[in-house]
Amino acid sequence: MAKESETGNRLVFAYYVTGHGFGHATRCVEVVHHLILSGHDVHVVTGAPDFVFTSQIQSPRLFLRKLVIDCGVVQADALTVDRLASLEKYSETAVVPRDSILATEVKWLKSIKADLVVSDVVPVACRAAADAGIRAVCVTNFSWDFIYAEYVVVAGYHHRSIVWQIAEDYSHCQFLIRLPGFCPMPAFRDVVDVPLVVRKPRKSRKEVRDELGIKDNEMAMVLNFGGQSLDWNLKEEYLPPGWICLVCGAHDNQQELPHNFKKLAKDVYTPDVMAASDCMLGKIGYGTCSEALAYKLPFVFVRRDYFNEEPFLRNMLEYHESGVEMIRRDLLVGHWRPYLEIATTLKPSYEGGVNGGEVAAKILQDAAHGKNYKSDQDSGARRLCDAIVLGFQLQRASGRDISIPEWYTNAQNELGFRTGSPQSSDAANNNSSFFQNSVCDEFEILHGDVKGLPDTINFLKSLAELRVSHNSEKPCIRERKAAAALFNWEEEIYVARAPGRLDVVGGIADYSGSLVLQMPIREACHVAVQKIQPAKQRLWKHAQARQQAKGQKQTPVLQIVSYGSELSNRGPTFDMDISDFMDGGKPISYEKAKHYFSQDTSQRWAAYVAGAIIVLMKELNVRFESSISMLVSSAVPEGKGVSSSASVEVATMSAIAYAHGLNISPRELALLCQKVENYVVGTPCGVMDQMTCACGEENKLLAMICQPAEVLGLVDIPSHIQFWGIDSGIRHSIGGADYGSVRIGAFMGRKIITSIASSMISQASSNSNGHNNNHEHDIRLLKTEASLNHLCNLTPHRYEHTYVKNLPESISGEAFLKEYKDHNDSATVINTKCIYPIKPATTHPIYENFRVKAFKALLTSSPSEDQLTALGELLYQCHYSYSGCGLGSYGTDRLIQLVQEMQHNNNNNKSTQTDGSLLYGAKITGGGSGGTICVLGKNSPQTRQRITQIQKRYQNATGYKPFVFEGSSPGAGKFGYLKIRSKNK
């Protein structure tokens, strides 16, 4: 039976608004306005200023309660989210006082006799409503469990419970009213979609322009950063002639503005100003995006670092031809003109509804009367089992959400040729000749061979399609537009390819000098490079404007397009004057180069690519007199621990080297690429990833001793054995704190061991009585260990006999530096306030080196069940040693458990035990803390079925369908390069 309101037809709504940004408050205003027009009372719980509500609603039925119980995100500045500070602030605001908040809110909800709780999108409000016996509904385009999940990966596990608690709170919500431009929101069960919620203009375009003194022949631009100022030093020349800029949110102490800038009042009604303008410049948020779409106002936007709802809003803007992305450094230095000129050529195409406020209000009234809403679609969404697994990775899993809007599906389909796993070998064989003939119709291959690789053939096809898309009027995402204008098709293009790698054994012991065995995987990165005279390069408009502003003509410019930007927090393009790498006729320092790329997080990815240029300048004294255009297309998934960054570095360095006639061996090239990552990117990786990408061969394991990079050769993978990779869905990053701490701990351990050995030599010398052969032998051993260059040169028995008992379990950075001065690792810096693991971080590489040697020897032994069992046992031992260092993760541990269950269940099932087991072992790979596991099994169709079963069981348990890596491909050295030229001039 429908619930009757205790006030008759008048309902009472408690509307909670997050403390994050004006956008939530402004869309709340629109819904509240319609609820009040329908005769209901609305109590708004908010931290937003009163004028946001009272300027639009003058009614005694509106009640404002100033309170913030959901802080949203903390911004270091207008464009950067501070992820750790956000989690800490949320903990302080909503976690520590949780019991008190719940008690207070339950009491208050009962006191106002609320009929329905509405949340945008405050988690604890849903739980408070449940405790008070009141229904709750959320109205939003994103949820905080999704936003915070990626932050927790960066911050470590300390705040992991925050995401679980938020997801649980949301599960008390009856259903979700979902707004356009939505993110995946797995914690909600039932969903009702509504049109855009936007505020309506109150005045006509002409009225507003007359009031502001804008002439009919002047172009007006709104500068709006959501109530946050960038402390502008605005200059007249930022705008094209005949333009006026209307500045929202300027500080009271803002400098006197140039004549073509107008400061607006703090409480200005933004929809009026937007409707009277010709474009807007600002940061992406729901409020600005929705109103820009509604008023068909071109939006020049600047990315926000770590603002995880942004990719979805950005794709919606670009799909409706309403968005132009501005590079941050151009924003800050005032190179606005080319972006504004592009904006005026857009034809915004949004024709959807803009009455979401009215529709949502009607749904809320029905819900308050007891109506149940259930999605017509079979959502497949379930309550969150592990938000870390789902988290940020949900952006990459097409179809994982309740439903994917048309604009998002379109973005995925546009890039379908390069995402996901390559074709199966059977499909490749069947279609190879057809594809090759198709490619040959488009390009003349002047050097090299595609080697029948389907991903290479597809990449060449995508290049051929770029010319078509450049001349097409069909809407497409920005990176494809930029790529279409990248090359001069009458000039030669060089293409290089580098695969990712599966760490079979060796992993994090590489920086300690271990033997490692690595397999190049089927997924690879392709890079196309064109070396061209500056006068012939097709420059993007903002690059042209930058050179004109400097008074430069025909100077070398680097332009890069990176496919896949819509799947992560990065801009699709990067450009710079190559002269930026020079200072006083010499290449800039690595420290300056690192700083150059670190200024804008959305373009930090360019360090992996452009970093190759500065490394070649510094290490090989190469000078670049020509312009360079580059296209990067990688099918190696990011954050899965399969060397996506190394494959980009190696493919990039190879393509640049070949285009410039540089003869660099694969080994030397890998070492140069390591310098890119260590010194330009600033990540303390070893060299095994780059060596595998450069020197690996198909269906072979690269055997290398990392001292620093001595390739022993290639080990054939026996025909009865196969390796698979299974992704846990937990984002892996070797730049994370855990990997760095373990690496530092290992180098500290080495320093302590050498110090112990030196002390023992002194003590043994002072206690020496005559000649003793055993004594002299001990002294020789100690002298060798006192000058130990790599931990892995210490044998396990010497470690156990002499050193392990004297190693501390852990030590603070301050205490270590006080006693030992330095840890002698140029790639890492000790933090005096951190506690570093010493014993586990030191033990792992010493024993891992032994395990890898045993693994290598077993691979070449006679095939047998004992061989496979021993190989698998070594993998399991390696996995648990990782965990001992603190580099395990929930997801990878669960996958290992599933492998073991599958293995032992098969062994115990007598009816299927004819040829022994099918799976024998597994381990976490690479830098650990998430990413991918390596699985060892028999090479048979039955084993593939077991892998599929593990994939399904993991998905059932976590909601995340793992990516499975199967197969191998040649490294960059074996592939060589292609030199191509278009046949169709």
Side-chain angles (χ1 to χ4, degrees), residues 586-632:
K586 295 181 180 180
I588 61 176
S589 68
Y590 283 134
E591 195 60 36
K592 286 184 177 179
K594 179 181 173 182
H595 176 72
Y596 183 93
F597 292 108
S598 66
Q599 297 176 82
D600 183 350
T601 302
S602 69
Q603 293 202 316
R604 194 171 293 171
W605 62 267
Y608 294 96
V609 183
I613 292 176
I614 185 64
V615 168
L616 288 171
M617 283 180 167
K618 292 185 71 66
E619 303 299 327
L620 301 185
N621 200 32
V622 179
R623 296 294 179 266
F624 296 90
E625 307 296 337
S626 300
S627 288
I628 302 174
S629 295
M630 302 178 64
L631 175 63
V632 180

Coordinates of all heavy atoms in Angstrom, one line a residue, residues 586-632:
K586 N 73.2 23.2 -25.4 CA 73.4 21.8 -24.9 C 72.0 21.3 -24.5 O 71.1 22.0 -24.1 CB 74.3 21.8 -23.7 CG 75.8 22.2 -24.0 CD 76.6 22.2 -22.8 CE 78.1 22.6 -23.1 NZ 78.9 22.5 -21.9
P587 N 71.9 19.9 -24.5 CA 70.6 19.3 -24.0 C 70.4 19.7 -22.5 O 71.3 19.7 -21.7 CB 70.8 17.8 -24.2 CG 71.9 17.7 -25.2 CD 72.8 18.9 -25.0
I588 N 69.2 19.9 -22.1 CA 68.8 20.1 -20.8 C 69.1 18.9 -19.9 O 69.3 17.8 -20.4 CB 67.4 20.6 -20.6 CG1 66.4 19.5 -21.1 CG2 67.1 21.9 -21.3 CD1 64.9 19.8 -20.8
S589 N 69.2 19.1 -18.6 CA 69.4 18.0 -17.7 C 68.2 17.1 -17.6 O 67.1 17.5 -18.0 CB 69.8 18.5 -16.3 OG 68.6 19.1 -15.7
Y590 N 68.4 15.8 -17.2 CA 67.3 14.9 -17.0 C 66.4 15.5 -15.9 O 65.1 15.3 -16.1 CB 67.8 13.5 -16.6 CG 68.4 12.7 -17.7 CD1 69.6 12.1 -17.5 CD2 67.8 12.6 -18.9 CE1 70.2 11.3 -18.6 CE2 68.3 11.9 -20.0 CZ 69.5 11.2 -19.8 OH 70.0 10.5 -20.8
E591 N 66.9 16.1 -14.9 CA 66.0 16.7 -13.9 C 65.1 17.7 -14.5 O 63.9 17.8 -14.2 CB 66.8 17.3 -12.8 CG 66.1 17.6 -11.5 CD 65.4 16.3 -10.9 OE1 66.0 15.3 -11.0 OE2 64.3 16.5 -10.4
K592 N 65.6 18.6 -15.4 CA 64.7 19.6 -16.0 C 63.7 18.9 -17.0 O 62.6 19.4 -17.1 CB 65.6 20.6 -16.8 CG 66.3 21.6 -15.9 CD 67.1 22.6 -16.7 CE 67.8 23.6 -15.8 NZ 68.6 24.6 -16.6
A593 N 64.2 17.9 -17.7 CA 63.2 17.2 -18.6 C 62.1 16.5 -17.8 O 60.9 16.6 -18.1 CB 64.0 16.1 -19.4
K594 N 62.5 15.9 -16.6 CA 61.4 15.3 -15.8 C 60.4 16.4 -15.3 O 59.2 16.1 -15.3 CB 62.1 14.6 -14.6 CG 61.2 14.0 -13.6 CD 62.0 13.4 -12.5 CE 61.1 12.8 -11.4 NZ 61.9 12.3 -10.2
H595 N 60.9 17.5 -14.9 CA 60.0 18.6 -14.4 C 59.2 19.1 -15.6 O 58.0 19.4 -15.4 CB 60.9 19.8 -13.9 CG 60.1 20.9 -13.5 ND1 59.2 20.9 -12.4 CD2 59.9 22.2 -14.1 CE1 58.6 22.1 -12.3 NE2 59.0 22.9 -13.3
Y596 N 59.7 19.2 -16.8 CA 59.0 19.6 -17.9 C 57.7 18.8 -18.1 O 56.6 19.4 -18.4 CB 59.9 19.5 -19.2 CG 59.3 20.1 -20.5 CD1 59.5 21.4 -20.9 CD2 58.5 19.3 -21.3 CE1 59.0 21.9 -22.0 CE2 58.0 19.7 -22.5 CZ 58.2 21.0 -22.8 OH 57.7 21.5 -24.0
F597 N 57.8 17.5 -18.0 CA 56.7 16.6 -18.3 C 55.8 16.5 -17.1 O 54.6 16.0 -17.2 CB 57.2 15.2 -18.7 CG 57.8 15.2 -20.1 CD1 59.2 15.1 -20.2 CD2 57.1 15.4 -21.2 CE1 59.8 15.1 -21.4 CE2 57.7 15.4 -22.5 CZ 59.0 15.3 -22.6
S598 N 56.3 16.8 -15.9 CA 55.5 16.5 -14.7 C 54.5 17.7 -14.3 O 53.7 17.5 -13.4 CB 56.4 16.3 -13.5 OG 57.1 17.5 -13.2
Q599 N 54.6 18.8 -15.1 CA 53.7 19.9 -14.8 C 52.3 19.7 -15.0 O 51.4 20.3 -14.4 CB 54.2 21.1 -15.6 CG 55.7 21.5 -15.2 CD 56.1 22.7 -16.1 OE1 55.9 23.9 -15.8 NE2 56.9 22.4 -17.1
D600 N 51.9 18.8 -16.0 CA 50.5 18.6 -16.3 C 50.3 17.1 -16.3 O 50.8 16.4 -17.2 CB 50.2 19.2 -17.7 CG 48.8 19.0 -18.1 OD1 48.0 18.3 -17.4 OD2 48.4 19.6 -19.2
T601 N 49.6 16.6 -15.4 CA 49.4 15.2 -15.2 C 48.8 14.5 -16.4 O 49.1 13.4 -16.8 CB 48.5 14.9 -14.0 OG1 49.1 15.4 -12.8 CG2 48.3 13.4 -13.8
S602 N 47.8 15.2 -17.1 CA 47.2 14.7 -18.2 C 48.1 14.5 -19.4 O 47.8 13.8 -20.4 CB 46.0 15.5 -18.7 OG 46.4 16.8 -19.2
Q603 N 49.3 15.2 -19.4 CA 50.2 15.0 -20.5 C 51.6 14.4 -20.0 O 52.5 14.4 -20.7 CB 50.5 16.3 -21.2 CG 49.3 16.9 -21.9 CD 49.6 17.9 -23.0 OE1 50.5 18.7 -22.8 NE2 49.0 17.7 -24.1
R604 N 51.5 13.8 -18.8 CA 52.8 13.2 -18.3 C 53.2 12.0 -19.1 O 54.3 11.6 -19.1 CB 52.5 12.9 -16.8 CG 53.8 12.5 -16.0 CD 53.5 12.4 -14.6 NE 53.1 13.7 -14.0 CZ 52.6 13.8 -12.7 NH1 52.5 12.8 -12.0 NH2 52.3 15.0 -12.3
W605 N 52.2 11.4 -19.7 CA 52.4 10.2 -20.5 C 53.5 10.5 -21.6 O 54.2 9.6 -22.1 CB 51.2 9.7 -21.2 CG 50.5 10.7 -22.1 CD1 49.5 11.6 -21.8 CD2 50.8 10.9 -23.5 NE1 49.2 12.3 -22.9 CE2 50.0 11.9 -24.0 CE3 51.7 10.3 -24.4 CZ2 50.0 12.4 -25.3 CZ3 51.7 10.7 -25.7 CH2 50.8 11.8 -26.1
A606 N 53.5 11.7 -22.1 CA 54.4 12.1 -23.2 C 55.9 11.9 -22.8 O 56.8 11.7 -23.7 CB 54.2 13.5 -23.6
A607 N 56.2 11.8 -21.5 CA 57.6 11.5 -21.1 C 58.1 10.2 -21.6 O 59.3 10.0 -21.9 CB 57.7 11.6 -19.5
Y608 N 57.2 9.2 -21.6 CA 57.6 7.9 -22.1 C 57.9 7.9 -23.6 O 58.7 7.1 -24.1 CB 56.4 6.9 -22.0 CG 56.1 6.6 -20.5 CD1 55.0 7.3 -19.9 CD2 56.8 5.6 -19.8 CE1 54.7 7.0 -18.6 CE2 56.4 5.3 -18.5 CZ 55.4 6.0 -17.9 OH 55.1 5.7 -16.6
V609 N 57.4 8.9 -24.3 CA 57.6 8.9 -25.8 C 58.6 10.0 -26.1 O 59.7 9.7 -26.7 CB 56.2 9.3 -26.5 CG1 56.4 9.3 -28.0 CG2 55.1 8.3 -26.1
A610 N 58.3 11.2 -25.8 CA 59.3 12.3 -26.1 C 60.6 12.1 -25.3 O 61.6 12.7 -25.7 CB 58.6 13.7 -25.8
G611 N 60.5 11.4 -24.2 CA 61.7 11.2 -23.4 C 62.8 10.5 -24.2 O 64.0 10.6 -23.9
A612 N 62.4 9.7 -25.3 CA 63.4 9.1 -26.1 C 64.3 10.1 -26.8 O 65.5 9.9 -27.0 CB 62.7 8.2 -27.1
I613 N 63.8 11.2 -27.1 CA 64.5 12.3 -27.8 C 65.6 12.9 -27.0 O 66.8 13.0 -27.4 CB 63.6 13.3 -28.4 CG1 62.7 12.7 -29.5 CG2 64.3 14.6 -28.9 CD1 61.6 13.7 -30.0
I614 N 65.2 13.2 -25.7 CA 66.2 13.8 -24.8 C 67.3 12.8 -24.5 O 68.5 13.1 -24.3 CB 65.6 14.4 -23.6 CG1 66.6 15.2 -22.7 CG2 64.9 13.4 -22.8 CD1 67.3 16.3 -23.4
V615 N 66.9 11.5 -24.3 CA 67.9 10.5 -24.0 C 68.9 10.3 -25.2 O 70.1 10.2 -25.0 CB 67.3 9.2 -23.7 CG1 68.3 8.0 -23.6 CG2 66.6 9.3 -22.3
L616 N 68.4 10.3 -26.4 CA 69.3 10.2 -27.6 C 70.2 11.4 -27.7 O 71.4 11.3 -28.1 CB 68.5 10.0 -28.9 CG 67.8 8.7 -29.0 CD1 66.8 8.7 -30.2 CD2 68.8 7.6 -29.2
M617 N 69.7 12.6 -27.3 CA 70.5 13.8 -27.3 C 71.6 13.7 -26.4 O 72.8 14.0 -26.7 CB 69.6 15.0 -27.0 CG 68.7 15.5 -28.1 SD 67.8 17.0 -27.4 CE 67.1 17.6 -29.0
K618 N 71.3 13.2 -25.2 CA 72.3 13.2 -24.1 C 73.3 12.1 -24.2 O 74.5 12.2 -23.9 CB 71.6 13.3 -22.7 CG 70.9 14.5 -22.4 CD 70.3 14.6 -21.0 CE 71.4 14.7 -20.0 NZ 72.1 16.0 -20.0
E619 N 72.8 10.9 -24.5 CA 73.6 9.7 -24.5 C 74.4 9.5 -25.8 O 75.5 9.0 -25.8 CB 72.7 8.5 -24.2 CG 72.0 8.6 -22.9 CD 72.9 8.7 -21.6 OE1 74.0 8.2 -21.6 OE2 72.4 9.5 -20.7
L620 N 73.8 9.8 -26.9 CA 74.4 9.5 -28.2 C 74.7 10.8 -29.0 O 75.2 10.8 -30.2 CB 73.5 8.6 -29.1 CG 73.2 7.3 -28.5 CD1 72.4 6.4 -29.6 CD2 74.4 6.5 -28.1
N621 N 74.5 12.0 -28.3 CA 74.8 13.3 -28.9 C 74.1 13.5 -30.3 O 74.6 14.1 -31.2 CB 76.4 13.4 -29.1 CG 76.8 14.8 -29.3 OD1 76.2 15.7 -28.7 ND2 77.8 15.1 -30.1
V622 N 72.9 13.0 -30.4 CA 72.1 13.2 -31.6 C 71.4 14.6 -31.5 O 71.0 15.0 -30.5 CB 71.0 12.1 -31.7 CG1 70.1 12.3 -32.9 CG2 71.6 10.7 -31.7
R623 N 71.4 15.2 -32.7 CA 70.7 16.5 -32.8 C 69.6 16.4 -33.8 O 69.8 15.8 -34.9 CB 71.7 17.7 -33.1 CG 72.7 17.9 -32.1 CD 72.1 18.4 -30.8 NE 73.1 18.7 -29.7 CZ 73.4 17.8 -28.8 NH1 72.8 16.6 -28.8 NH2 74.3 18.1 -27.9
F624 N 68.4 16.9 -33.5 CA 67.3 16.8 -34.3 C 67.0 18.1 -35.1 O 66.5 19.1 -34.4 CB 66.1 16.3 -33.5 CG 66.2 15.0 -32.9 CD1 66.8 14.8 -31.6 CD2 65.9 13.8 -33.6 CE1 67.0 13.6 -31.1 CE2 66.1 12.6 -33.1 CZ 66.6 12.4 -31.8
E625 N 67.3 18.1 -36.3 CA 67.1 19.3 -37.1 C 65.8 19.3 -37.9 O 65.4 20.4 -38.4 CB 68.2 19.4 -38.2 CG 69.6 19.3 -37.6 CD 69.9 20.5 -36.6 OE1 69.3 21.6 -36.8 OE2 70.8 20.3 -35.8
S626 N 65.1 18.2 -37.9 CA 63.8 18.1 -38.6 C 62.7 18.0 -37.6 O 62.9 17.6 -36.4 CB 63.8 16.9 -39.5 OG 64.8 16.9 -40.5
S627 N 61.5 18.3 -38.1 CA 60.3 18.0 -37.3 C 60.0 16.6 -37.2 O 60.4 15.8 -38.0 CB 59.1 18.8 -37.8 OG 59.2 20.2 -37.7
I628 N 59.2 16.2 -36.2 CA 58.9 14.8 -36.0 C 57.4 14.7 -35.7 O 56.9 15.4 -34.8 CB 59.7 14.1 -34.8 CG1 61.2 14.2 -35.1 CG2 59.3 12.7 -34.6 CD1 62.1 13.8 -33.9
S629 N 56.7 13.8 -36.4 CA 55.3 13.5 -36.1 C 55.2 12.1 -35.7 O 55.8 11.2 -36.4 CB 54.4 13.8 -37.3 OG 54.4 15.2 -37.6
M630 N 54.4 11.8 -34.6 CA 54.4 10.4 -34.1 C 53.0 10.0 -33.8 O 52.2 10.8 -33.2 CB 55.3 10.3 -32.8 CG 56.7 10.6 -33.1 SD 57.7 10.5 -31.5 CE 57.6 8.8 -31.2
L631 N 52.7 8.7 -34.1 CA 51.4 8.1 -33.7 C 51.7 6.9 -32.8 O 52.4 6.0 -33.3 CB 50.5 7.8 -34.9 CG 49.2 7.0 -34.6 CD1 48.3 7.9 -33.8 CD2 48.6 6.6 -35.9
V632 N 51.1 6.9 -31.6 CA 51.4 5.7 -30.7 C 50.0 5.0 -30.5 O 49.0 5.6 -30.1 CB 51.8 6.2 -29.3 CG1 52.1 5.0 -28.4 CG2 53.1 7.1 -29.5

